[in-house]
Amino acid sequence: MSSHHEWVEQIAAEHDELKPFAPENGQPLRFAIGDRVIYTNPAGIEFRFSITGFYRPAVPCGQYARGARYLVNSSSPWFPVAESCLRPDDADAGLKGVA
């Protein structure tokens, strides 16, 4: 592959053929706007965020084709993250009912 543009075209074509991610594969997205999540980056460092929106590019995009569906309230709110890097933030679960 000689350029980023060609890589994006290849990844987008693979995505269109396989439809491996929600919602294109018929499965619902796991998170909704406002959900609190823990994002784990490639180095294994975790950050607490909230889902602020859904990433829906108008043109083929390598990030979208690799599963990036969510926008979060990070220092880069325009940068989408993949569902596979997110899990529910249940930090408050143990505190419910405690006064």
Side-chain angles (χ1 to χ4, degrees), residues 36 48 89-97:
R36 293 174 40 168
R48 285 190 156 88
D89 183 354
D90 297 327
D92 298 326
L95 301 176
K96 291 185 179 178

Side-chain angles (χ1 to χ4, degrees), residues 8-92:
V8 169
E9 286 179 351
Q10 178 185 344
I11 295 298
E14 289 172 8
H15 167 268
D16 292 346
E17 181 180 333
L18 301 175
K19 298 187 186 316
F21 304 107
E24 295 86 13
N25 66 3
Q27 300 296 314
L29 289 170
R30 185 173 177 195
F31 302 104
I33 293 174
D35 285 356
R36 293 174 40 168
V37 295
I38 296 175
Y39 166 73
T40 305
N41 73 9
I45 300 170
E46 297 179 343
F47 300 90
R48 285 190 156 88
F49 293 127
S50 294
I51 303 295
T52 59
F54 301 110
Y55 182 59
R56 296 183 178 123
V59 296
C61 172
Q63 292 173 320
Y64 188 86
R66 297 194 116 192
R69 300 290 186 269
Y70 299 95
L71 300 173
V72 297
N73 63 331
S74 69
S75 59
S76 302
W78 59 87
F79 191 81
V81 297
E83 190 171 273
S84 61
C85 296
L86 300 173
R87 71 177 195 272
D89 183 354
D90 297 327
D92 298 326

Side-chain angles (χ1 to χ4, degrees), residues 1-15:
M1 213 153 306
S2 62
S3 74
H4 176 73
H5 181 72
E6 289 173 348
W7 176 84
V8 169
E9 286 179 351
Q10 178 185 344
I11 295 298
E14 289 172 8
H15 167 268

